[in-house]
Amino acid sequence: MSAAPSAAAAAAVRRAAPAVSAELRFELADLYAEYAACLDEGRFEEWPDFFTEDCTYKIVPRENFDRGLPLCTVWAESRGMLQDRVVGITQTMMYQPHYWRHLVGPLRIREAGGGDGAIGMEANYAVFRTMPDEPSEVFQVGRYLDRIAREDGRLKFREKLCVFDTLTIKNSLIYPI
């Protein structure tokens, strides 16, 4: 596995952020803050509402992403598939109780005003897990590569790609990242 990002990823990092209004920047920051709060507070039934109807949601190891390999740990291609995942989380899976904390930032606008009207975003994330009787631990660290569009007057994720940095996942990946 190469530790260096691909040439395309490195070029994207060097690209200057497009000019957008302060109002839009605040709206984007609120979207990410509310997304993290929804997951941290266990409001999983609300999670699919952060996505457009025709969304894509993927969790992929960095090694696969950097090599352009299609294999993902989680892959959903619609809001309906996300809703099915919520049913699995809330009604069919059994697991030890625990708490989550998502830290997201900094937010970086990579594209605005493209042909499809979506906003390309990038943000680092860290997810911590706490079992009631154990110290908190780092569960996953990576970056979001997102495309955001306005639907029904709200900004929503058209595409959320969660690229995690490790080769393995600790225990299981039950909850959204």
Side-chain angles (χ1 to χ4, degrees), residues 73-139:
T73 306
V74 174
W75 189 336
E77 294 181 325
S78 70
R79 188 185 302 151
M81 289 179 78
L82 298 178
Q83 291 165 335
D84 288 344
R85 186 157 180 86
V86 169
V87 169
I89 291 168
T90 60
Q91 298 178 26
T92 64
M93 294 183 183
M94 301 216 33
Y95 41 85
Q96 184 178 1
H98 51 277
Y99 306 100
W100 297 103
R101 189 67 55 213
H102 290 69
L103 303 180
V104 180
L107 302 180
R108 298 183 341 194
I109 300 171
R110 292 293 176 215
E111 177 188 350
D116 64 357
I119 301 165
M121 297 288 295
E122 181 176 342
N124 296 327
Y125 70 83
V127 180
F128 297 86
R129 179 175 63 181
T130 304
M131 303 294 206
D133 58 346
E134 297 178 23
S136 298
E137 63 181 351
V138 176
F139 180 75

Side-chain angles (χ1 to χ4, degrees), residues 57-70:
Y57 175 78
K58 297 179 184 179
I59 302 175
V60 60
R62 181 178 183 165
E63 180 178 35
N64 288 4
F65 177 78
D66 286 348
R67 292 181 178 181
L69 300 174

Side-chain angles (χ1 to χ4, degrees), residues 21-68:
S21 70
E23 182 179 329
L24 179 56
R25 284 186 183 276
F26 285 126
E27 195 174 359
L28 289 164
D30 285 348
L31 174 66
Y32 280 87
E34 289 302 320
Y35 179 86
C38 176
L39 297 177
D40 292 346
E41 295 167 5
R43 296 182 281 127
F44 301 114
E45 292 82 4
E46 297 174 26
W47 175 62
D49 296 336
F50 284 89
F51 294 84
T52 61
E53 188 63 41
D54 62 341
C55 67
T56 300
Y57 175 78
K58 297 179 184 179
I59 302 175
V60 60
R62 181 178 183 165
E63 180 178 35
N64 288 4
F65 177 78
D66 286 348
R67 292 181 178 181

